[in-house]
Structures are given as C-alpha cells and as structure tokens.
Amino acid sequence: MADRRVGVLWSSAAFAVRLAWRADRRALVHVVLVQVLLAGAMAGGLVVVQTVFGSVLAHGPAAAGRSPVVVPAVVVLLVAGAAAGALRLSGAARMAVLTVKVDRLVAGMVLQAAAAAELPRFEEPDFHDGLQRAVFASRRQPAMAVVLLVTAFQAALTVLAVGGAFVLMAWWLLPLVLLGAVPGIRAAGKERDAHHDLHHGLSEGRRLREYLEQLLTGRQEAKEIRALDLGAVLTGRWQDQYAREVRDTEALLKAHARRRMAAQATGGALTCLAVGALWWAAARHLLPLSVAGTAVAGVWLLSVRLNAFAGMLTGIGENLLRLTDLWSFTAAGPVAPAAATAPVRQQLPSPRNELGPLRAERLSFTYPGADSPAVREVSLAVEPGQVVALVGVNGSGKTTLAHLLAGLYPPDSGRLLHDGTPITDLRAHRARTAVVFQDFTRYKFPALDNVGFGRPHGTADPLRVLDAARRAGALDFLQRLPAGLDTPLGKEFTGGADLSGGQWQRLALARAFYRDAPLVILDEPTAALDAHAEDQLFTSLRGLFAGRTVVLISHRLRSVRHADRIYVLRAGRVVEEGSHKALLRADAHYASLFRTQASAYHDTNTP
C-alpha cells in the first residue's frame, strides 16, 4: 500500500510539473533557475563564512581588518545577499504569474471534461463524486502543489548544498543530522494519507452541502423556501453536514499533532546530539575551532531545512494526492491548451438537406442504478417530413425514448438507423437534431444569446434571431425588453428583465427554430402555454417546421390529433401505433386515455 502511494505521489508530482510547463514554461524555468542559484549561494556563503571565521581566529579580531581575506569576503557576502534578495523578488513575481496561469489551465480542463462527458454519466453518483473532487482540486490545489513543489525543490537543493559543504567540514555528523529528519518525514506521510482518505469520505456530504447552499441562496428557490418556511430546516441540515466534517477533521488533526510533536522532539534531540559532538571535538582539538563553529551553523541550518521539508511533506503529499482526483477525472478528455482557442465548430446540416428515414430497432435502455428498463425493445420509423407523436401516461418512457432518438443516450441494446445506416457517431447525430426539452434551461444571458445558442459555434445573427423569435411567437415581448435583444434575462444582473414561464418556453422554441436542424424533437413544448397559444402552435406546427422531421411528445392527446403517426407507450413498450382515427377505432389504451381527457372538457364520455 505504501509503495503504491509513493508511486502515485511521483506520478502526481510529474503531472503538476507538466501542468506548470504547459501553463508557462518560461516562468517555470525562471523559478527553478532562481532556486538553483539561491541554493548555490547558500552553500558558497557557508564556505566564505568558514574562511572569515578561520582568519579571525588565526589573526585575532584586531588584525582581522588587515587580513587579505576578510574584507573581500565580507564584500562578497554583502553583494551576494543583495543579489539573492533581488533573485527572490524576481522568482516570487514569476511564481505568482505561474500560479494564476496554472489555475486557469486546470479549471478549463475540469470544465472541458465535464462538458465532454456523455449524458449517462450524469446519472451515476460516482461521476458526481469525482466531479466534486476534481472541482475541489482545481480550486488553487494545482497551483499550490506547484508552489509547494518549488519550495520543496529549494529545500532539497539547500539540503544538498549545505550537506556538501558540511561533508568538507564534519562528514561524520551528516548521517546523524539526516537521521533526525526521519521521524518527521514518517509522521508527515501518515498524516498525508489520513487527510486524503478523509477527503474522499466527505465527497458526497460536501455535494449535499453545496446543494443545500444552492437552495438557500437561489433566486428561483427563494419563494418556495419562504412559502413553506423551510429556511431553518435546510440551514439545520447544512449545519449537521458541516458539523460532521469539522468533527472528523478535528479528530484527525489531534491524533496526528501528537505524532508530529513526538517526531519533532526526537529530531531535536538528535540535532542537539550533533551539536554536542561538535563541541566535544573542538574541545579536544579534533576539529579546528573555525570549522567547528561553522559546522554548528551548518547543523542548525540543515536541521531547520530538513524539519521544514518534513513539515511541507504533509501539504505537498495532500495536494499531490488531490491532483490524482483531477488527473483521473480529466484523463478521458484532452488537456485544454494554456491559451484560449476558438472552439471546434460543429457544422449543422443545411436546412435544405432533409433527414433521411429514421428508424429505431428494438431499443432498450436502463438508467444507471435503476432496477428495470425505462425503454423495452421499442421499434418505430419516422419518414422525412412527417410529424410523429409519442404519447402515454407519466413514466411510460416517452422522454427517455426521445433522448435515445436525439442521440443523448446510447441504447443498451438495439440500434438507431439513419437512411438505413446504423448511427454510431452520436455527436454527429446530435448536430442534425434540435431538441426542446420540457425542463429546458433558462440561460440568464442576453436574449440574443438565448436564441443564438441554437447554433453556438459562431456569432449570433440578429436578423435570423428575430426571424426565429417571430416564428416562435416571441418577437413581441423581446422587442419590448429595455435593451431589446441585448437585455440580460435575469433580475440578478444590471438592466436585467424577468420573463414569464410561457415566454421562456417560446424562447426555447425560438432556439430550436434558429438551429434549423432537419430533425426536431419537442418534449411537451407547450407545457407553460395557455390553451389558446397551445392550439395555435399545434395547428401551425407542420407549417412552422416545413421540410423537417418532427417527433412530438405530449400528454395532452388533443394536441397530437393531426400527427401522421402516433406511438402509444406503456411501461416502456410501444403497445399501439397508428393515426388518431385508427387508434380511436381500435378502442384500446389510446382511446381510453383520450376519453378520460376529453371528459374534462365535455359532459359526455365520448370523444
């Protein structure tokens, strides 16, 4: 286990160096070069101090000023000290720039990996735990790892440099000084592993806490939180989750603080033993007094650096182990470049290129962690230019089937064919599909962006945006916004405006019109519209999407009467198919559902 952790640490350290190199290689080289020069200066300083000390002892303090060695040596030390100060300032400035660039690079990597993950991953708790840990690791952890690695590199160079000078003076004490650092290094390693294990164990609790924070601070959630008086309950749950983390962290720190103090005491005792040995050797004239005095300074400097190095190991190891969370999460996708680049543009098909026949053959799909399939061996066919409806009660599999047809989920079994050819590239299939979800996203960006996101890899065309808004019935209210299409759609932003639920739904429809894709999937596209607006939309649906293939999902059966073909789902299976009239004549599940809904509008039970 220990060997595996050491291997992981070395791999993570290499990963951190690659990140820094990719973020700004010139800054990294500059910082490392500064540390090398500073370590060399420290070793040289010890040799110079030993020379001056020897001269003073040889000639006496009164005659030291006339020594041909003392004055030049002091001048060298002063000049070297000033140069070292300038070097430190230069290295610190470049290090600050490097950390900012590493932060940007890593945050971009996490966002890129999250955006590239396929939709089924978002159904898995492990994915969300990994994402939470990667986000946590990306928040200055890589930059901090780089800083700590550079600091550790400096400490290691100093130890080597001072140790090299020490060998020339009293080599036989070097093993004793190095041995004094072993207890601290061992204690730091155990604390590092304990911190990492605790961090992993707290992942889901932290996600729950973040969700509670979102509920308590979100503008959309605010009204219901107050209407139900949930504030105190949710705050209490947040406190409980945080209390668990505080309790576990406190217990860990207490346990390891005792180990660290014991290790430090042991190291201090060994350092005192080394100084005593030097004193004993000088008293018996086994070492020149100048060498013994400089060696005492060397012992002190070496022990301080070794203790600092051992102290840094906990922070370094913890940061490096957290980098493994970042590494494992982003490994599936390419590393984002350090400089911003234009996004890869997906060319949507021209609206003149009609979609060929779309056919599903025995599609089945089960959500991760679910006990039973949401869709079971469904087969259907959609011809170009047709309007096909999927209907059924809640939980019948309509929306899941629509997600499969849109290429958002790969089927567990069965296949999807376009023009007789199996669809294997789901990204390419999504590029020729426009989807309006029942739970569409309300982007709190300017109205121009909200519609223009239909074709995101390019600059939004205001004229085309206005045309899409007109076809969706959104033009009137968009033109009345304070800044027109440039108005942010959220009161949280300066100059922002709110929209009603029905207006947001029309905006989502406008996004689909702007995308201008040959396959259009509408999942309850009128859920927030009034009855009159709903009738207008469905009456004009075929004209609005002329030349497109439309898959329509609605639980309001009166809205699908004019569809070319209706597929009726029940428990994930297609139990009936046909036109509205044919299904009524069959007098089966569809007819029963239709009569039930019609009874709410008429006094008779017959349609």
Side-chain angles (χ1 to χ4, degrees):
M1 180 67 175
D3 291 342
R4 188 181 69 82
R5 279 280 168 90
V6 170
V8 169
L9 287 173
W10 279 111
S11 298
S12 296
F15 178 57
V17 172
R18 288 199 303 272
L19 287 175
W21 180 261
R22 194 175 184 85
D24 190 341
R25 63 189 65 182
R26 297 176 73 175
L28 179 62
V29 170
H30 181 99
V31 168
V32 170
L33 186 59
V34 165
Q35 305 310 321
V36 172
L37 292 175
L38 288 175
M42 189 170 292
L46 272 179
V47 174
V48 172
V49 167
Q50 192 265 331
T51 302
V52 171
F53 197 20
S55 179
V56 169
L57 291 177
H59 298 92
R66 297 189 297 274
S67 170
V69 175
V70 172
V71 174
V74 170
V75 171
V76 168
L77 284 174
L78 292 174
V79 172
L87 276 175
R88 287 191 186 92
L89 290 174
S90 171
R94 294 305 292 267
M95 191 71 213
V97 173
L98 180 60
T99 55
V100 172
K101 290 185 175 181
V102 170
D103 279 341
R104 182 186 71 171
L105 172 66
V106 171
M109 289 169 58
V110 174
L111 294 176
Q112 183 184 27
E118 292 295 336
L119 197 57
R121 298 294 312 281
F122 286 84
E123 307 289 341
E124 302 168 2
D126 287 346
F127 171 80
H128 290 281
D129 284 343
L131 175 58
Q132 193 273 340
R133 288 195 294 265
V135 169
F136 188 88
S138 70
R139 291 173 179 163
R140 299 199 64 82
Q141 298 295 325
M144 183 59 67
V146 172
V147 171
L148 290 173
L149 281 174
V150 169
T151 307
F153 178 65
Q154 180 195 34
L157 286 178
T158 303
V159 168
L160 289 175
V162 175
F166 201 81
V167 166
L168 299 177
M169 293 181 283
W171 64 267
W172 44 275
L173 281 179
L174 186 60
L176 187 61
V177 177
L178 294 176
L179 189 63
V182 171
I185 292 174
R186 286 173 58 86
K190 291 180 179 178
E191 185 173 355
R192 171 204 67 212
D193 293 346
H195 271 288
H196 186 253
D197 292 341
L198 176 63
H199 172 65
H200 269 241
L202 294 173
S203 294
E204 187 159 352
R206 284 173 175 162
R207 281 199 294 115
L208 178 56
R209 203 169 68 227
E210 289 170 4
Y211 175 63
L212 289 166
E213 291 168 3
Q214 175 189 331
L215 290 176
L216 287 163
T217 60
R219 180 168 176 262
Q220 293 298 323
E221 296 86 354
K223 57 182 179 295
E224 187 162 325
I225 298 298
R226 280 147 186 80
L228 297 174
D229 196 20
L230 278 173
V233 174
L234 296 180
T235 304
R237 293 190 181 186
W238 181 90
Q239 292 284 7
D240 291 343
Q241 287 296 323
Y242 226 138
R244 178 199 164 198
E245 181 167 344
V246 170
R247 184 175 62 252
D248 292 349
T249 303
E250 187 178 20
L252 184 150
L253 292 175
K254 281 183 178 178
H256 287 278
R258 291 191 291 268
R259 293 192 182 97
R260 292 288 292 275
M261 286 189 287
Q264 193 169 14
T266 303
L270 290 173
T271 301
C272 290
L273 183 61
V275 172
L278 282 171
W279 185 273
W280 177 84
R284 284 162 178 72
H285 305 291
L286 299 176
L287 279 179
L289 189 58
S290 62
V291 172
T294 307
V296 168
V299 167
W300 174 80
L301 186 59
L302 198 57
S303 63
V304 167
R305 286 292 177 176
L306 284 170
N307 284 330
F309 182 74
M312 284 187 293
L313 281 182
T314 298
I316 293 173
E318 190 176 345
N319 274 271
L320 290 179
L321 285 177
R322 286 180 182 173
L323 278 187
T324 61
D325 299 324
L326 176 67
W327 188 5
S328 60
F329 185 78
T330 59
V335 176
T341 58
V344 178
R345 298 195 173 198
Q346 271 186 314
Q347 294 298 325
L348 294 178
S350 166
R352 292 184 296 275
N353 296 334
E354 292 185 356
L355 187 77
L358 183 68
R359 194 166 76 252
E361 292 184 349
R362 301 176 68 84
L363 293 184
S364 293
F365 179 77
T366 304
Y367 286 102
D371 296 328
S372 58
V375 169
R376 307 166 186 260
E377 297 191 341
V378 169
S379 298
L380 56 81
V382 187
E383 295 298 323
Q386 278 191 335
V387 176
V388 170
L390 307 178
V391 302
V393 298
N394 291 339
S396 59
K398 306 185 300 294
T399 296
T400 302
L401 178 57
H403 289 168
L404 294 173
L405 295 177
L408 295 172
Y409 291 108
D412 296 334
S413 61
R415 58 181 185 167
L416 196 62
L417 300 97
H418 171 226
D419 211 7
T421 303
I423 295 173
T424 55
D425 187 347
L426 294 182
R427 286 181 179 270
H429 179 62
R430 291 198 293 265
R432 56 175 176 258
T433 306
V435 187
V436 177
F437 297 102
Q438 181 178 3
D439 53 349
F440 54 85
T441 301
R442 303 182 181 194
Y443 300 100
K444 296 183 180 181
F445 297 119
L448 182 70
D449 289 336
N450 264 275
V451 179
F453 280 173
R455 284 178 173 255
H457 303 304
T459 304
D461 181 349
L463 293 178
R464 286 193 58 216
V465 166
L466 290 172
D467 180 64
R470 178 187 58 79
R471 295 164 69 190
L475 185 59
D476 287 345
F477 69 80
L478 288 182
Q479 289 179 329
R480 290 197 301 268
L481 292 173
L485 293 178
D486 295 323
T487 305
L489 301 182
K491 282 288 191 180
E492 300 96 319
F493 301 101
T494 304
D498 272 337
L499 298 182
S500 68
Q503 288 172 331
W504 274 113
Q505 188 141 44
R506 289 189 181 277
L507 211 57
L509 282 167
R511 200 154 48 236
F513 284 119
Y514 187 82
R515 189 168 180 82
D516 224 2
L519 173 61
V520 180
I521 297 178
L522 305 175
D523 185 359
E524 301 286 1
T526 61
L529 299 182
D530 56 57
H532 179 66
E534 180 184 26
D535 283 339
Q536 279 188 324
L537 176 65
F538 283 120
T539 301
S540 57
L541 187 66
R542 199 179 297 273
L544 289 172
F545 288 105
R548 310 295 189 278
T549 300
V550 179
V551 176
L552 172 64
I553 302 168
S554 180
H555 69 280
R556 301 176 184 175
L557 302 187
R558 56 193 289 269
S559 304
V560 302
R561 290 171 297 174
H562 303 295
D564 295 298
R565 195 161 193 82
I566 300 171
Y567 289 88
V568 185
L569 281 87
R570 189 175 190 178
R573 298 182 185 275
V574 172
V575 294
E576 291 180 89
E577 60 178 280
S579 67
H580 172 72
K581 291 182 179 179
L583 291 172
L584 286 182
R585 284 196 301 268
D587 198 22
H589 186 55
Y590 177 86
S592 174
L593 292 175
F594 189 85
R595 282 193 294 269
T596 301
Q597 291 189 11
S599 65
Y601 298 95
H602 303 287
D603 294 330
T604 177
N605 288 330
T606 57

